[in-house]
Amino acid sequence: KVDGHEVLVGNQPWLHDNGISAHMMSKQEAKAGAEVFVAQDGRLLGSIIVADTVRPEARRAIAALHGMGLKTVLMTGDTHRVASAVGDKLGIERIEAELLPDQKLRWVRDLVAQGRVVAMVGDGINDAQALAEADVGIAMGSGTDVAQESADVVLLGNDLARLAETLSVAKRSRGIIWQNFAGTLIVDTIGIGLAAFGVLGPLLAAFIHVSSELVFI
C-alpha cells in the first residue's frame, strides 16, 4: 500500500495470477536481465530490468574446469533469456533455466542415477537440497547458512577461481595417492618374489624399502 494505492511488483505469471495482463516487454530486452513488472490499482505501469553482473573470474574458472575434462551445467531460477546470456558469456553449453528448488534437486538426482559424479556449486537457500544430494556439495563462503550447512565443502569468499584451484589440488592429491599405492604393491611384489628365491636378505630388503619410499616422495 502506497498513499492509499495498491502497488504490485513481481514477475509476469504473478501479475497474471492477480488479474493484471502484463504482456508488455521492455525495450531493453537485448540486455540480460529479469523483467519485473509494476502495477498500481490493477493497471500496469511498466517494468524494470534487474540484472546480476557476471563475476570477472567466472569465465576463467569455467575454462579451467573444461580444461580438466569436466562438463558444466548452469541450473538457475532465472528466465531462459537471462540464463542464455550468462551461459554464452561463460562458455557453458548446457543451460537449465526457470528451475524451482525441487527441480534442481531432481536434476542432480537424475545425473547421479546416470552414474555421473556430480559436484554442485551453490550459495542460496534454493540450492540447499541439491547441494545435499550431490556427490560433492560446494557452497560459496558468502552464501546463506543453510547452503553452507548442506554442503560438503565451503569455499572462503566469492572467488570462483578458487573452485578450479580446489579441484585441481584434489585431482593431483588423488593421483599421488594412487601412484604411491600402485608403487608400493609393485615393489612389495618384487621383494616377495626375490625373497622366495633367496636373493633378498634383511639388509637389502631394508635398503630397497627406504629407497623406494624416497623415490615416491
Side-chain angles (χ1 to χ4, degrees), residues 82-157:
V82 174
S84 296
V86 172
D88 290 342
K89 284 183 182 178
L90 298 181
I92 298 176
E93 294 181 1
R94 187 168 181 175
I95 299 164
E96 300 298 331
E98 299 182 11
L99 297 182
L100 296 173
D102 61 323
Q103 292 174 311
K104 289 184 180 182
L105 175 62
R106 199 176 310 127
W107 261 103
V108 171
R109 281 180 175 168
D110 289 344
L111 290 172
V112 172
Q114 293 169 21
R116 306 287 181 88
V117 178
V118 180
M120 166 80 182
V121 184
D123 63 357
I125 295 173
N126 292 346
D127 300 322
Q129 288 179 299
L131 286 169
E133 189 70 22
D135 293 298
V136 182
I138 303 170
M140 303 303 293
S142 60
T144 61
D145 291 340
V146 174
Q148 293 182 22
E149 289 171 7
S150 303
D152 302 298
V153 179
V154 177
L155 296 178
L156 297 180

